[in-house]
Amino acid sequence: MATFEALGELLDETLTLPVAGSTYTIPAPSAEVGLRTQAIIQAAAKAAQGGEADAELLDDAAERDLFAEVLGETYPRMIADGVSWPALKHCALTAMIWIASGTEQAETYWRTGGDPSRAAPPNRATRRALARSGGANATKSRASTSGTSTRPAPTPATHAPPTG
């Protein structure tokens, strides 16, 4: 029979965010809040792609409620500390991404200020690995069809000197 470690020992169930000289630790949400967060993110993605989204799910009041829910016990502390609206919103959206997609995606969102165009390009080693795997460029270079190397052949002499 398989032996499993306690789940609490395997998962880091908090998200720690530095804001204006303070550090806020956001606890993992309840399953209900996690499922609702996933549904809202899916609805927002669908709307962004031109699909029809559930207006009730995405209205402003639901957004404010969700921000308080995803920030959990940290939300009232942030309000009491006078955290600005842009900072609170960025923290809440980072927490939503953490809940729905994990720490790595949340870190990327946090680091870019929510602007994907500010994401750092891959480092040199990553670019080389992508190039080797073919992942860096979807367009394949044209292969030679002549069956010869690209080195030019020496030009033959037009007439040979007499031997002898």
Side-chain angles (χ1 to χ4, degrees):
M1 179 171 194
T3 305
F4 292 92
E5 291 181 52
L7 192 56
E9 294 174 19
L10 298 173
L11 300 177
D12 182 8
E13 293 191 348
T14 60
L15 180 67
T16 303
L17 303 174
V19 179
S22 294
T23 301
Y24 297 95
T25 301
I26 293 118
S30 68
E32 180 182 357
V33 170
L35 291 168
R36 190 164 149 248
T37 301
Q38 292 252 342
I40 288 173
I41 287 177
Q42 288 173 351
K46 183 177 179 182
Q49 294 174 352
E52 197 170 312
D54 183 344
E56 185 178 317
L57 194 60
L58 297 176
D59 74 4
D60 289 340
E63 179 183 40
R64 280 190 304 275
D65 290 345
L66 183 63
F67 285 3
E69 289 175 347
V70 298
L71 293 172
E73 62 196 37
T74 306
Y75 179 82
R77 183 176 155 224
M78 293 177 88
I79 297 296
D81 288 351
V83 171
S84 70
W85 168 244
L88 182 103
K89 183 176 181 180
H90 189 64
C91 289
L93 291 172
T94 300
M96 289 174 66
I97 292 167
W98 169 62
I99 292 165
S101 302
T103 304
E104 189 174 316
Q105 287 80 6
E107 286 173 350
T108 299
Y109 181 84
W110 179 265
R111 186 177 58 254
T112 64
D115 181 357
S117 69
R118 290 176 51 193
N123 65 29
R124 188 175 187 183
T126 304
R127 286 193 309 269
R128 285 182 175 174
L130 285 171
R132 282 191 302 271
S133 70
N137 186 351
T139 306
K140 301 276 185 203
S141 59
R142 234 171 43 143
S144 171
T145 57
S146 68
T148 61
S149 69
T150 57
R151 176 189 243 176
T155 7
T158 52
H159 69 280
T163 58

